[in-house]
Amino acid sequence: MESRSESKTNSNPGQVRIHGAAKSRVSRPMECARKKETLQLDRNVSEDGSSTSESSCGLSGLKAGRFETRKRQSRVKPVKIVSQGVCEAVVVPPLQLERTIGKRRCTWITPFSEPLYVSFHDEEWGLPVYDDQKLFELLSLSAALSEFSWPTILNKREKFRKLFDNFDPTSVAKFTEKKILSLKSSGSLLSEQKMRAIVENARQIFKVIEEFGSFSNYCWSFVNHKPVINGFRYARQVPVKSPKAEIISKDLMRRGFHCVGPTIIYSFMQAAGIVNDHLSSCFRFTDCNGSCYNQLNIKAEATSLAKTLNQSCTLQA
């Protein structure tokens, strides 16, 4: 009876009494299991605490070792840039890519932009141009924008230069009808209307030169020989034409130029640096402005030197 009552009193869970060696054999595995559970709980709590602290405090909550690991992982790796419609991929070396990433450009230049387009943005677009032959080339290429995009035009630029004698107005103005038809048959990609417009514009440039001394003086006279600096912050603010472009377009049409609508002329003004439409955050915005001031100083010095020479010649006479 006593044994039965003892077993009844000790029948509750967790209160079973185990004697001798059996107790040690059972209790050790249970203790190990409990220790593992407590360790796992501690780890979960620490990980939850660290993740919350990292999300709330940023880099300040990271340990030094993990921070160094992330720094190593953030190093620049070679990136493949594949242009649309081109099978070959251009691999940018890490050092070159670091230099590229270090410069802030206009937002229409992306990591996937073609290298020629990026170079055109970094070296030509928006830089003031005063050479007549260069201005004629940019005017002709801008006219082609109604049929192609800038990347496509730049990829065919050398071919255009070869077909149009490096855009020398003197040579292009002498193109005969036979020459124009040969350009059409050679597959210049441009429509016949655009090719004839380029030839006719070259002929009209000489009339402008006779009146203004140079095609450059004519183009820059509309902006008082100083570029228009807009300093837009966002790409959506950059217009496709302007009132000044409409004035120049009307005057060119009156003089017999072809394919010189306001949109084409504004693209020409942007490319020739008559308008600086680089975004204010772009590194070329200040570069183009500085180049413009240098050109103005050189012109001012040349003008003052010419006046001094004229005065000295008058005194000697």
Side-chain angles (χ1 to χ4, degrees):
M1 295 292 290
E2 292 179 0
S3 61
R4 288 180 183 178
S5 62
E6 185 177 355
S7 62
K8 286 181 180 180
T9 55
N10 295 330
S11 61
N12 294 331
Q15 298 294 328
V16 178
R17 294 181 181 180
I18 304 173
H19 300 279
K23 180 179 179 181
S24 62
R25 285 196 300 269
V26 176
S27 61
R28 286 178 183 174
M30 291 180 65
E31 289 178 0
C32 292
R34 288 174 182 171
K35 287 181 180 179
K36 288 182 179 179
E37 289 178 0
T38 54
L39 287 172
Q40 187 64 33
L41 288 172
D42 292 338
R43 286 178 182 175
N44 293 336
V45 171
S46 63
E47 287 177 0
D48 293 338
S50 63
S51 62
T52 53
S53 62
E54 286 174 9
S55 61
S56 60
C57 302
L59 291 177
S60 61
L62 294 174
K63 294 182 180 180
R66 296 179 64 186
F67 183 72
E68 289 296 326
T69 305
R70 290 193 178 184
K71 283 185 71 178
R72 292 193 197 99
Q73 292 176 353
S74 64
R75 288 178 181 173
V76 181
K77 298 179 180 179
V79 175
K80 287 187 177 180
I81 300 176
V82 183
S83 58
Q84 295 180 355
V86 181
C87 296
E88 296 180 356
V90 180
V91 180
V92 181
L95 291 177
Q96 183 179 347
L97 188 63
E98 284 181 357
R99 298 192 193 106
T100 304
I101 292 175
K103 297 177 180 178
R104 293 192 64 181
R105 293 177 170 83
C106 298
T107 53
W108 52 85
I109 301 295
T110 68
F112 303 101
S113 298
E114 296 187 21
L116 277 175
Y117 189 39
V118 178
S119 298
F120 180 67
H121 169 274
D122 292 355
E123 299 170 9
E124 294 185 61
W125 196 79
L127 189 68
V129 177
Y130 301 96
D131 180 72
D132 283 358
Q133 185 170 338
K134 182 72 173 177
L135 287 169
F136 176 59
E137 178 184 2
L138 293 176
L139 178 63
S140 303
L141 295 179
S142 299
L145 284 172
S146 59
E147 299 178 2
F148 306 105
S149 62
W150 269 123
T152 304
I153 292 171
L154 295 172
N155 283 324
K156 303 293 182 183
R157 190 177 193 176
E158 291 303 321
K159 187 175 183 179
F160 290 149
R161 285 174 173 173
K162 186 177 180 180
L163 291 174
F164 292 102
D165 294 345
N166 206 26
F167 289 100
D168 181 8
T170 306
S171 178
V172 176
K174 296 177 182 178
F175 279 13
T176 60
E177 184 69 19
K178 184 178 180 180
K179 177 69 173 178
I180 295 173
L181 293 176
S182 67
L183 290 176
K184 182 181 177 181
S185 61
S186 63
S188 66
L189 299 178
L190 287 175
S191 63
E192 184 178 350
Q193 180 188 8
K194 289 292 185 295
M195 289 188 293
R196 292 185 180 276
I198 291 172
V199 175
E200 185 61 31
N201 292 345
R203 293 169 183 167
Q204 298 302 325
I205 279 178
F206 287 100
K207 297 179 181 179
V208 173
I209 292 174
E210 290 177 1
E211 183 177 349
F212 292 88
S214 67
F215 186 57
S216 173
N217 283 336
Y218 168 77
C219 294
W220 284 94
S221 64
F222 289 95
V223 292
N224 198 22
H225 298 277
K226 294 180 181 179
V228 179
I229 302 171
N230 289 320
F232 295 122
R233 294 182 60 190
Y234 307 104
R236 63 176 179 270
Q237 295 176 305
V238 180
V240 295
K241 61 181 180 180
S242 68
K244 188 68 68 177
E246 292 179 353
I247 294 172
I248 299 174
S249 174
K250 288 179 181 179
D251 193 74
L252 287 170
M253 289 180 182
R254 181 179 63 82
R255 294 176 181 275
F257 284 77
H258 295 281
C259 296
V260 286
T263 304
I264 290 174
I265 292 302
Y266 193 73
S267 298
F268 163 69
M269 294 170 68
Q270 290 174 322
I274 298 173
V275 172
N276 184 357
D277 266 350
H278 283 284
L279 300 184
S280 58
S281 59
C282 178
F283 79 100
R284 288 295 291 167
F285 176 73
T286 54
D287 287 356
C288 291
N289 291 341
S291 176
C292 167
Y293 292 134
N294 291 334
Q295 291 286 347
L296 291 174
N297 290 334
I298 291 171
K299 283 188 174 183
E301 291 176 0
T303 304
S304 62
L305 180 62
K307 287 181 179 179
T308 305
L309 291 174
N310 289 332
Q311 290 176 358
S312 62
C313 291
T314 304
L315 291 174
Q316 289 178 1

